[in-house]
Amino acid sequence: MFYSVEYMGRPTLGDKLELIALSSVANLQTQAYGSEIRRHVNSLRGYDYSVGAIYTTLSRLEKKGFVVSEMTEPLPVRGGRSRRLFRITGLGEESLREAQALAQRVWNIGLGVPS
Amino acid sequence: MNAKPPRLAEIILTSFITDKRMADSVLGDLAEEWQERTSRRGRVAVRIWYWRQCVRSAPYLVVEWWRSASAGEIARKVSSSLVVFGLVGLACLYAHLASIAMADFIIGMLSASSEGGDPLVKNWDWIARLAVVQSTGWGLLGGFGLALVVRNARMVGVVLLASLWFPATAMLMAVLPAQWPAWALIAFPVLLAGASIVGGLAATSLRGLFSKRYDSAGNP
């Protein structure tokens, strides 16, 4: 049996886009809002994601508790609309570290590095 | 150069979003990028980019709504779509019966003057054509009516309605007579779904164009 009991009931990162968006939020820090995150994700993936794809992913990350968001004051450059700033949570950071550790293990196995 | 993004695209994109905060952030981000791009590129290119963003975002927003909506929200949206689906379905049935009567009348007139050919085959082809045209009209009305009635994320309901036509037509295949032309079986769901979406977009656009543009603070 290879089930990991500790993960049961705990939110996990769903797909690659969630992982990349989460790492972008962590990387951009105080500048983590939709447009900047989209640019960051697009440059990492080499693919032009739509604004809807990014926001729905960020919304899922927020529901899972990996990020939190807050609205800024309305800005003229945005047609009087607010920016939604995202910030990574402790749970999000933990999930990023776990994803990194898993990738490292998989990488080591592929290269035949003894663990 | 126009400093504001296309109003119609904004209205249509908003009709796919339930959460006001998300709508504000999405439109704000697009407006910000719109400003940046208009200073670098031509107006037409930026308009195409904006519309492209809206069209490409819509499927993600529909799927996300389906994933995150509560059981009550889903039940409300599905039931309103089902009511319109039933009404349009009934209208299509009447359209079909009216088509048979009309085709009988037309074929009766034509066969008096034409020579050769199988009148039964002609008859079913005519019936199918008339039924498809009339049903497209009903689909258009259905999508339009649904988008007028529904308040929140109205295009999500319209997409649900449009998707219902495919299984419904598949079930219809079992009861339709063998003479029913194959092209009509494909045309029926495609035209009904397309017409429902066009009707929904038309109602959404009309409603949006007659309302004011508001910022995050609620100022027009």
Side-chain angles (χ1 to χ4, degrees):
Chain A
M1 296 290 279
F2 296 100
Y3 294 107
S4 178
V5 179
E6 63 175 323
Y7 287 103
M8 284 181 73
R10 215 192 101 183
T12 50
L13 286 167
D15 55 23
K16 253 187 221 167
L17 186 56
E18 282 190 14
L19 174 64
I20 295 169
L22 185 61
S23 81
S24 296
V25 170
N27 185 264
L28 289 164
Q29 297 179 350
T30 55
Q31 281 301 302
Y33 68 95
S35 287
E36 284 301 322
I37 297 170
R38 195 166 78 85
R39 274 191 208 114
H40 203 259
V41 170
N42 287 353
S43 67
L44 279 173
R45 286 286 280 168
Y47 176 78
D48 181 28
Y49 283 103
S50 69
V51 67
I54 297 298
Y55 265 101
T56 50
T57 306
L58 289 168
S59 172
R60 279 201 302 278
L61 288 175
E62 192 171 22
K63 279 189 190 114
K64 288 177 180 178
F66 294 147
V67 295
V68 284
S69 70
E70 57 177 333
M71 303 298 279
T72 64
E73 289 294 307
L75 300 165
V77 72
R78 295 168 65 85
R81 293 191 178 90
S82 310
R83 254 183 206 155
R84 190 169 168 190
L85 289 172
F86 290 88
R87 191 164 43 83
I88 192 163
T89 61
L91 184 64
E93 282 174 349
E94 201 180 315
S95 291
L96 267 186
R97 274 195 292 274
E98 278 169 9
Q100 186 196 19
L102 175 67
Q104 192 62 56
R105 281 202 302 274
V106 172
W107 190 246
N108 288 348
I109 289 166
L111 292 175
V113 178
S115 54
Chain B
M1 190 170 279
N2 187 6
K4 285 183 176 175
R7 177 98 172 99
L8 194 59
E10 279 187 348
I11 292 163
I12 290 170
L13 186 62
T14 315
S15 69
F16 284 94
I17 307 174
T18 34
D19 181 12
K20 193 190 172 296
R21 264 195 346 151
M22 195 200 258
D24 250 15
S25 327
V26 168
L27 293 181
D29 276 2
L30 284 173
E32 200 175 330
E33 212 165 326
W34 166 272
Q35 297 271 7
E36 283 170 26
R37 283 174 183 259
T38 40
S39 59
R40 286 186 280 119
R41 295 184 186 189
R43 184 177 168 167
V44 175
V46 184
R47 284 187 90 86
I48 291 171
W49 167 82
Y50 198 97
W51 275 101
R52 221 173 141 243
Q53 280 293 322
C54 295
V55 170
R56 288 178 62 217
S57 294
Y60 287 99
L61 295 167
V62 172
V63 171
E64 185 58 24
W65 179 87
W66 190 258
R67 266 187 190 175
S68 63
S70 65
E73 278 177 288
I74 291 176
R76 271 197 299 277
K77 198 72 79 186
V78 170
S79 58
S80 58
S81 304
L82 278 175
V83 167
V84 175
F85 173 73
L87 289 173
V88 174
L90 268 178
C92 288
L93 184 68
Y94 282 118
H96 173 66
L97 294 173
S99 302
I100 292 175
M102 279 171 74
D104 276 344
F105 176 73
I106 294 165
I107 293 297
M109 282 183 22
L110 287 176
S111 58
S113 57
S114 68
E115 291 173 18
D118 186 348
L120 194 65
V121 172
K122 278 184 186 171
N123 202 343
W124 278 109
D125 212 47
W126 267 100
I127 290 166
R129 275 180 212 178
L130 287 167
V132 164
V133 169
Q134 289 183 56
S135 302
T136 305
W138 287 115
L140 208 62
L141 262 177
F144 192 90
L146 183 61
L148 276 186
V149 174
V150 174
R151 275 188 182 176
N152 205 359
R154 54 184 69 100
M155 278 310 290
V156 173
V158 174
V159 170
L160 275 175
L161 170 69
S163 58
L164 283 171
W165 295 117
F166 291 91
T169 317
M171 283 190 284
L172 254 182
M173 284 171 82
V175 290
L176 279 172
Q179 298 97 321
W180 192 262
W183 65 264
L185 284 173
I186 301 158
F188 244 124
V190 172
L191 285 173
L192 270 168
S196 301
I197 287 176
V198 169
L201 287 175
T204 303
S205 310
L206 277 177
R207 275 182 74 147
L209 288 173
F210 285 108
S211 62
K212 286 180 182 169
R213 199 193 288 241
Y214 291 94
D215 63 16
S216 295
N219 303 314

